[in-house]
Amino acid sequence: KNEVEQSPQNLTAQEGEFITINCSYSVGISALHWLQQHPGGGIVSLFMLSSGKKKHGRLIATINIQEKHSSLHITASHPRDSAVYICAVRSGNYGGSQGNLIFGKGTKLSVKP
Amino acid sequence: NAGVTQTPKFQVLKTGQSMTLQCAQDMNHEYMSWYRQDPGMGLRLIHYSVGAGITDQGEVPNGYNVSRSTTEDFPLRLLSAAPSQTSVYFCASSYSWGLGEQFFGPGTRLTVL
């Protein structure tokens, strides 16, 4: 079983729709990251969070530590939001290699005009 | 700041050839890492470094070597390329191991024939 699971794998939406991408993890974590990978391949960090909720523009990320679940929401989606969204967790144990990131497989979002 | 830079952007090798993928960052980050990204899989950690002179293996280290003689540079060496090493390679850095936002390089697309 993968330690980080994302759903859905693929998502097609119409411009303006509200979008939710989910991430569940099975390990204790110190932080969770949401990343965006553009069609050209570059990866940028959107959020890093360890509790609660963060908002940046039309993007909102939430995390529930007890349920080991995070969501990424996009309000008023736009074709330029089309990308792969990747969830990654940093294990809460700092022995060995546990400080490294564990990645989900990504959710491919396509927003149609 | 240039952030994280990688060279080359594209490379084609023949089986058995060796080469070095270059990675540099100008943010004075202690932590640097190399990942490979394959279709249908999440990013997988090859090697990482928590500071100059200190490196360790990640999830998929076989066939790769690294060294970290300076804070800025973290080259990845393929000793004897194999078709299974055809992938997209990303270098990343963050302020410290287990802490902080990760900054990714633009990636190197490697094909081994």
Side-chain angles (χ1 to χ4, degrees):
Chain A
K1 182 182 185 299
N2 292 331
E3 292 169 297
V4 181
E5 297 273 3
Q6 288 186 235
S7 62
Q9 287 186 333
N10 294 284
L11 181 57
T12 300
Q14 288 298 129
E15 183 173 356
E17 286 185 359
F18 181 85
I19 288 164
T20 296
I21 299 170
N22 296 298
C23 176
S24 297
Y25 52 91
S26 57
V27 296
I29 68 167
S30 61
L32 183 142
H33 297 246
W34 281 103
L35 309 167
Q36 181 190 55
Q37 185 168 26
H38 299 287
I43 300 173
V44 296
S45 178
L46 297 175
F47 295 103
M48 182 180 66
L49 64 166
S50 54
S51 65
K53 175 179 174 178
K54 286 191 176 180
K55 184 176 190 290
H56 185 254
R58 295 180 295 105
L59 301 178
I60 304 165
T62 64
I63 188 168
N64 185 318
I65 297 293
Q66 286 73 30
E67 295 187 2
K68 294 187 176 178
H69 182 269
S70 175
S71 292
L72 177 68
H73 305 287
I74 305 175
T75 62
S77 59
H78 190 275
R80 65 175 175 266
D81 297 325
S82 298
V84 176
Y85 292 84
I86 301 169
C87 173
V89 301
R90 196 181 298 281
S91 171
N93 301 317
Y94 283 87
S97 64
Q98 297 304 309
N100 297 313
L101 288 177
I102 306 168
F103 294 83
K105 294 182 180 180
T107 294
K108 185 174 182 180
L109 171 66
S110 177
V111 182
K112 305 292 186 189
Chain B
N1 288 352
V4 181
T5 58
Q6 287 183 239
T7 55
K9 285 196 163 105
F10 301 93
Q11 183 70 49
V12 179
L13 292 178
K14 294 182 180 176
T15 297
Q17 287 185 316
S18 62
M19 78 159 295
T20 299
L21 306 185
Q22 300 292 344
C23 175
Q25 52 89 11
D26 60 0
M27 297 172 282
N28 202 31
H29 284 171
E30 290 295 323
Y31 179 86
M32 296 184 74
S33 52
W34 276 102
Y35 301 95
R36 59 177 289 171
Q37 186 177 43
D38 300 295
M41 306 187 75
L43 288 154
R44 292 184 292 169
L45 182 65
I46 304 171
H47 285 284
Y48 67 99
S49 169
V50 299
I54 307 169
T55 64
D56 206 347
Q57 296 180 351
E59 181 185 355
V60 288
N62 291 343
Y64 308 95
N65 267 359
V66 292
S67 60
R68 183 104 178 262
S69 56
T70 66
T71 298
E72 294 78 19
D73 300 298
F74 190 44
L76 178 73
R77 281 181 286 277
L78 279 70
L79 309 171
S80 177
S84 61
Q85 293 179 304
T86 294
S87 188
V88 181
Y89 292 85
F90 289 95
C91 178
S93 73
S94 64
Y95 173 72
S96 180
W97 188 42
L99 295 172
E101 178 184 353
Q102 285 237 330
F103 294 84
F104 287 83
T108 295
R109 185 173 293 273
L110 175 68
T111 301
V112 183
L113 302 174

